[in-house]
């Protein structure tokens, strides 16, 4: 069910609506897409999704970057004005 087209569409729709310079956790993204508790499925989907989907705006709830290329994720977030230190987004 987690890989169903409606799940994918809902997650990508929410992902596409995240404003530049903002971040969201995997769990928050899953809940906003109507699939509370599906944080891991969101991560799996994002790993399989190519740009231009703004995957770099999705982080762990504790602020850590966990994308397969966390260095690139940090770079893209910094370009958008997000503070990243020590592999974490500086949460406000």
């Amino acid at each position: 069910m987690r890989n169903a087209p409606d799940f994918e569409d809902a997650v990508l729709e929410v992902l596409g609506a995240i404003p530049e310079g903002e971040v969201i956790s995997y769990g928050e993204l899953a809940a906003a897409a109507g699939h509370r508790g599906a944080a891991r499925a969101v991560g799996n989907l994002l790993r399989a999704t190519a740009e231009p989907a703004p995957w770099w705006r999705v982080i762990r709830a504790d602020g850590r970057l966990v994308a397969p290329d966390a260095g690139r994720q940090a770079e893209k977030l910094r370009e958008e004005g997000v503070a990243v230190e020590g592999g974490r987004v500086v949460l406000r």
Side-chain angles (χ1 to χ4, degrees):
M1 175 170 172
R2 299 284 189 232
N3 294 323
D6 62 327
F7 171 77
E8 293 176 17
D9 291 344
V11 168
L12 294 176
E13 182 177 333
V14 173
L15 178 63
I18 301 168
E20 186 174 310
E22 300 281 330
V23 295
I24 191 170
S25 74
Y26 290 94
E28 290 170 331
L29 178 53
H35 296 273
R36 186 171 305 283
R40 184 167 294 184
V42 167
N44 291 336
L45 174 62
L46 295 185
R47 271 191 295 284
T49 301
E51 289 189 60
W55 57 268
W56 57 90
R57 296 181 185 147
V58 186
I59 61 172
R60 285 181 44 121
D62 64 4
R64 283 192 299 156
L65 307 181
V66 292
D69 188 352
R72 184 160 174 249
Q73 183 179 20
E75 179 181 314
K76 292 182 93 45
L77 288 171
R78 285 183 185 118
E79 288 173 1
E80 293 186 357
V82 176
V84 178
E85 295 177 9
R88 290 178 185 269
V89 168
V90 179
L91 299 172
R92 299 171 216 164

